Amino acid sequence: MSKKNLFRVFGNTTIILLCFSILMTCSNSDDSSSEEMGEEGITELHPAFAEFSDAVTAILSDDGTEIYIETTGFPNHTSIYWNPTNALYIDESTVRKTTENTYIGGGRGEASSFTVDATPNLTGASVATQLGTMGIAVSGSAIFNDQEGNGDLDGAAGSLDWAGAHKGPGVYHYHLEPRPITNDDGSLVGILMDGVFIYGRRDYPSNEYPTDLDESGGHFGPTPHNSEGEYHYHIINEVYPAATYGYDDPIVLFAGPFQGY
């Protein structure tokens, strides 16, 4: 029976009761939707943020759905890329610096910032990484992928310091496993632009190399900051095939693709 004929059958009183019932149903439906939307937000920052240095600031949005992350870009460890007058400067004889007169804290574009979903979206398509800042490490410095300029990393390999990073001449950034942060272990490395945290080569709590990683080096499982488990990345335990690095066994930090957009 059509809606038109249905209204002819019922009397006015019945129609009024029916309309009232419909209104109440719609109202309850809206309330339910509001509650579901509210559940998408979080009420406090992920415990992993407690490990980031003072260079990094993380701010949760009022509705709990986004996190704004910014950093000064200055690492909290030694490097040849600090000014020689800085207490964190060290001489690294194997490093061919990209810039002789541009130091950490004295160049352009030191700071980095981006906004991520408070809960990464793992339902969409994976997204390839691009040049430039694609994450922030717990040290305060930027994370880059396995490319340099318009080519692979080999051409810049000799300029990477003991931390697997260089400055050239913008932000100081890591391409390789950042040894001051993680060195063949499971330490928290940082957060990437898709809102997913990245850890060192070893899994938690086994301290073994994970065997179920996807193409991005990610999987679902417990972390030191979430015993119930969540999707997270690991540095993939594969030596980068080049012989011109300043230290043995160069291992790319993250080549992608992103999984959390």
Side-chain angles (χ1 to χ4, degrees), residues 33 50 55 102 150 163 227:
S33 297
T102 302
N150 294 318
S227 59

Side-chain angles (χ1 to χ4, degrees), residues 92-114:
E92 300 181 76
S93 60
T94 59
V95 176
R96 301 190 305 273
K97 291 181 63 177
T98 52
T99 55
E100 288 300 324
N101 298 311
T102 302
Y103 308 107
I104 297 171
R108 60 179 175 81
E110 299 279 3
S112 299
S113 66
F114 51 77

Side-chain angles (χ1 to χ4, degrees), residues 173-197:
H173 57 274
Y174 307 104
H175 286 286
L176 303 180
E177 176 184 59
R179 298 293 173 87
I181 300 172
T182 180
N183 189 356
D184 192 19
D185 58 36
S187 299
L188 175 67
V189 176
I191 187 169
L192 300 186
M193 291 182 69
D194 60 351
V196 178
F197 291 101

Side-chain angles (χ1 to χ4, degrees), residues 131-163:
L131 297 178
T133 297
M134 47 175 264
I136 294 175
V138 296
S139 69
S141 292
I143 295 172
F144 278 35
N145 65 9
D146 61 341
Q147 301 293 302
E148 179 68 23
N150 294 318
D152 58 34
L153 200 52
D154 292 356
S159 68
L160 299 176
D161 63 12
W162 77 283

Side-chain angles (χ1 to χ4, degrees), residues 203 209-215 217-221 234:
D203 205 8
Y209 300 125
T211 58
D212 60 343
L213 299 180
D214 59 27
E215 62 178 336
H219 69 166
F220 183 92
H234 286 277

